[in-house]
C-alpha cells in the first residue's frame, strides 16, 4: 500500500464483504490499467450478437471477472433477477452547478508516504466509472468513463447496506423497531442460529458475533455457500445448500458474544433487510421507494438484485445512477431533509452520525480506518469534519463531509474487491477535494 | 368457442407463438376464475419471506404456470435477465380525461352467438389485469386489478413484436433497411438456414416459410428447443442445444416457399430484432429508447427480457405500464405524431395500416380473424373502422380504431395462451367500446 500501483497487490481480507474477492483472486500478475480496461474500448457486448470472446454471461460467471466487471457493473440486471425501486411521479430534483475540470488537477498526498498525485491520476488508479461531487448541493465536478453516463445505473455493492441501514434507523426513530430487542423477537426463525443472542443494533453495527468466514482459500468457508445461496454466483450442479439469503442466515453459527467484536459480514445485512421487511410489511425495494426514492427527486428508478426466492440482496444488490447516489448523500448531509421535505427523520441521521463502538472497530482489518466506527451500516470517520461514508467493494462510495458541505458519489470497477486496495489513495483524495471546495 | 366459459377448453394451436401454450397445457379441468385467481387475494410472494407454497421461482418454472402467472406477468424481471428501455429526461405526456365506470355496464354480443354480456363481465372472463381506454387521446376508462397499478409494468408478450416491427418499418421508411432484400444480405449467418431465401418483408409478415412446429405433443417440436435456447424456460441439466435466440434461428429449416404461406412463428421476430440491430448498430432496447420511448413522454422505463447472451426477446419480452402501452398506440393512431413531435414516420404507419397479404393469412388457425392480414408484426382487421392491433398471448393487446379515435391497451393473464381463447369475447368488446365512444 505504498503507492497507487501497489493497490494491485492487495489480496482479500475480512474487510471485504463475502462475495467480493472473487475477481481479485483471479488477478495475476498485474491487471490492465483503467485506460486499457475501458469497457467501451474493449468492446464487451458490442455487435449483433457480440462475438463469443466479447460476450459476458451469467452461466460462466464472466460477469464477475475483471475486466468484464467494468461492463457488467453497469448492466447488472442482465445477470441477476431484479425488481425496480420506483422513483415515483414527482419531478426530478434539479442539480444546479456545472462540472469544473480544474478539480482534476488538484494535487494531494496519498496515505503512507505515497507520491503526490492529482485527482485525475487518483480516479484512474481507482478504476473510476463515474463520479459526482456536490458542494453545497451544487455540482462541482461530474464525469463518466467507459460505458457509464448520467442516466446509467451502476451496482452500488455494499453501499446498498447503508440504504438498508438508513431504513432501519428510520423505523427505529419512529419507534417501530427496537434496537435493543433481540433479532429473534422479530425473526423467530433465527432462534437456532448464531443470531440467537444478537440484538437489532448488533446486526446493524456488524457486532452480531456470528461465524462467517471469508477465507477464499478454505473451500469450507461460509462465503462459498453464501454466494451460491443468494445466486450471486451460479450454483454447481451438485449444490445442495440453502437457496436464498434467509435460509443461509439460519445456518450461521455463533463465534463471539454479540457486541464484543466487529466483523464486517454481509450476512448481517440480509438479516437487517429481513428485519425491515418484517416490521414494515413491505419488501426492501417497496419500502425504499415509498420512504426515500419516491421523495428524492431521483432521475431514474433503482434496480434491486434478488435471490431466486425474490429476497433483495440487501448486502449489495442496489443499482442507481451516480447523480441519484449523490442526491441520497446530499439528503443525509442535510439532516434527512431534501427536495422540499423531510425524507429521513433527523433522529435517524443523528444516530448514524454519532457512530458506533470505536474500540471493537479497531481490528487489523480496519488498519487503514484508524479511529473510525460502524453504525447502522454506515462508516463513520470521527474526523474533524465529521465525515462519514457508505462503502462498497471495488470502489463504490458515498463520502459525506458535513463541515465542507461536500458529498462525493463514486462508482468504480477496481480489479481488487477490498477497499483497502483503494483507500490509501481515495480517502485522502476525498478529503483533498473537500478541503479545496471549502475555500469557495 | 361458443361462450365465455368455453374459452377454457381451447388448446394450443399454431395461432399462438411458440412459448405460449405452456400454462394452458397445464389446465385441467377448469382453472380458477378471475376473482378466485386474483394474485393479491392468493397472496403470491407475500411475507418476509413468503411461505414456500406462495413463492414463485424460476427454477421450478412456476412463474409460467397459472395461476402464478397472474403475479409473475407483472414482475417479469424477477425471472429473466433484463435491461431497461430508458424513458429519457423529458416530462411525462399527461393523459387528461377520467375513467368513466359506466363503460363497464355497456352490453355487447360476443362472436358465434354467445350470450349478451357487459364489458365488466368480458374483462373478468378475459382475466384482465389492467386496461386503459383512450378516446381522442383522453382517458375514457382505466382500471387495475390484482397486483397491477398505474405504475407497474406488465409483460406485453407478443405485443412486443409490434414494437420491433414498428422499428423495422421506421428503418425501411428511412431507406436504411430494404424490405425486398434477402435477410441474408444483412445476416449472412442465416445462409445455411431456412431463412436463406426469405426477404426482410417475409420475416416481418410471418411469411418466411420456415419450419417451426409448435406442437407440444411432439417432444421433437422446435418449440421445445426454442424456449430453452432463449431461456424462457429453464434448461434441463442434459440440454445441449443452442443457448440464445440467434443460434436457434440458424438451426431452423425451410418448410415452404417464402411469401407463399402465413405462419405465426415467433422465430421470425428474433430475426426481425437481429435485422434492426444489424442495420442500426444498436441493440433493440437502445433503439426503442432512442426512437420511441424517450420521445413518447412515457411514465416509466420499459424493461426488456433477454436471453443469456444478452439478446432481447424480440418476440415477447417487453414490459411496460398500461398507460405507456396506450401512449404508444395513440402515437400510431396519430400517424406517428405524439407529444409534440414526429416519432415514427407517417410512411411507416401507412405501410403497417395498409396491411399484408390477406389470402395467405386466411388459414384455419386464423378462423376467428376473417379478412384480416399481418404486416410488419401488426394485425390488421381491414374492417370498416380500419382497426388494427398488437396482440400477445394470454390476452395482451393494443386495439387501435382510427375511425372511432379510440385506443385500448389491455394486459391480462388468461390461463389459456392462445388468443383464440379470448377473441370471441374481446374483439366484439373492443368494437363495442369504440362504437359507444364514437357517439360522444
Amino acid at each position: 500500500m505504498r503507492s497507487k500501483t501497489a493497490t494491485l497487490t492487495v489480496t482479500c481480507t475480512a474487510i471485504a464483504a463475502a462475495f467480493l474477492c472473487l475477481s481479485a483472486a483471479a488477478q495475476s500478475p498485474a491487471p490492465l490499467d483503467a485506460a486499457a480496461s475501458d469497457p467501451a474500448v474493449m468492446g464487451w457486448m458490442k455487435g449483433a450478437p457480440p462475438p463469443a470472446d466479447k460476450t459476458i454471461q451469467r452461466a460462466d460467471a464472466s460477469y464477475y471477472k475483471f475486466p468484464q466487471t467494468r461492463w457488467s457493473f453497469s448492466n447488472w440486471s442482465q445477470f441477476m433477477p431484479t425488481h425496480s425501486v420506483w422513483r415515483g411521479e414527482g419531478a426530478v430534483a434539479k442539480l444546479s452547478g456545472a462540472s469544473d475540470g480544474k478539480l482534476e488537477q488538484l494535487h494531494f498526498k496519498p496515505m503512507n508516504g505515497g507520491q503526490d498525485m492529482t485527482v485525475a491520476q487518483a480516479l484512474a488508479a481507482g478504476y473510476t466509472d463515474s463520479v459526482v461531487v456536490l458542494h453545497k448541493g451544487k455540482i462541482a465536478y461530474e464525469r463518466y468513463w467507459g460505458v457509464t453516463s448520467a442516466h446509467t445505473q451502476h451496482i452500488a455493492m455494499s453501499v446498498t447496506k447503508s440504504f438498508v441501514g438508513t431504513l432501519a434507523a428510520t423505523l427505529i426513530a419512529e419507534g417501530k423497531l427496537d434496537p435493543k430487542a433481540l433479532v429473534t423477537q422479530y425473526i423467530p426463525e433465527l432462534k437456532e442460529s448464531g443470531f440467537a443472542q444478537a440484538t437489532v443494533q448488533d446486526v446493524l453495527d456488524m457486532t452480531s458475533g456470528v461465524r462467517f468466514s471469508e477465507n477464499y482459500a478454505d473451500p469450507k468457508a461460509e462465503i462459498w455457500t453464501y454466494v451460491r445461496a443468494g445466486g450471486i454466483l451460479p450454483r454447481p450442479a451438485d449444490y445442495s445448500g440453502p437457496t436464498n439469503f434467509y435460509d443461509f442466515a439460519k445456518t450461521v453459527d455463533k463465534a463471539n458474544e454479540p457486541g464484543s467484536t466487529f466483523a464486517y459480514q454481509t450476512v448481517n445485512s440480509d438479516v437487517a433487510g429481513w428485519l425491515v421487511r418484517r416490521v414494515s410489511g413491505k419488501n426492501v425495494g417497496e419500502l425504499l421507494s415509498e420512504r426515500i426514492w419516491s421523495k428524492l427527486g431521483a432521475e431514474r428508478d433503482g434496480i434491486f438484485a434478488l435471490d431466486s426466492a425474490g429476497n433483495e440482496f440487501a448486502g449489495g444488490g442496489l443499482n442507481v445512477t451516480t447523480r441519484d447516489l449523490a442526491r441520497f448523500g446530499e439528503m443525509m448531509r442535510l439532516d434527512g431533509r431534501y427536495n422540499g421535505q423531510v425524507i429521513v427523520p433527523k433522529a435517524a441521521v443523528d444516530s448514524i452520525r454519532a457512530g458506533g463502538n470505536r474500540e471493537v472497530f479497531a481490528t487489523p482489518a480496519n488498519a487503514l480506518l484508524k479511529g473510525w466506527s460502524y453504525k447502522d451500516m454506515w462508516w463513520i470517520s470521527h474526523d474533524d469534519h465529521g465525515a462519514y461514508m457508505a462503502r462498497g467493494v471495488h470502489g463504490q462510495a458515498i463520502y459525506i463531509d458535513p463541515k465542507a458541505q461536500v458529498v462525493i458519489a463514486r462508482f468504480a470497477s477496481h480489479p481488487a474487491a477490498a477497499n483497502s486496495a483503494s483507500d490509501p489513495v481515495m480517502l485522502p483524495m476525498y478529503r483533498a477535494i473537500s478541503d479545496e471546495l471549502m475555500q469557495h
Side-chain angles (χ1 to χ4, degrees), chain A residues 94-117:
Chain A
K94 294 280 180 201
L95 293 173
S96 60
S99 182
D100 180 359
K102 276 184 294 189
L103 211 54
E104 291 182 350
Q105 300 314 315
L106 180 69
H107 282 253
F108 70 96
K109 278 211 176 300
M111 285 183 191
N112 304 328
Q115 285 200 323
D116 185 84
M117 65 198 301

Side-chain angles (χ1 to χ4, degrees), chain A residues 239-302:
Chain A
Y239 178 83
S240 62
T243 56
N244 62 67
F245 291 120
Y246 299 165
D247 282 349
F248 174 83
K250 293 179 206 165
T251 70
V252 169
D253 289 330
K254 179 177 171 180
N256 299 294
E257 284 309 303
S260 69
T261 55
F262 172 89
Y264 187 76
Q265 298 161 323
T266 294
V267 65
N268 286 300
S269 306
D270 300 306
V271 175
W274 199 351
L275 284 167
V276 159
R277 290 176 70 186
R278 270 288 155 80
V279 170
S280 71
K282 297 174 191 291
N283 69 41
V284 180
E286 286 169 337
L287 191 68
L288 180 56
S289 170
E290 181 182 299
R291 293 302 191 93
I292 298 177
W293 217 244
S294 65
K295 298 179 176 177
L296 202 60
E299 289 182 46
R300 292 197 70 177
D301 291 344

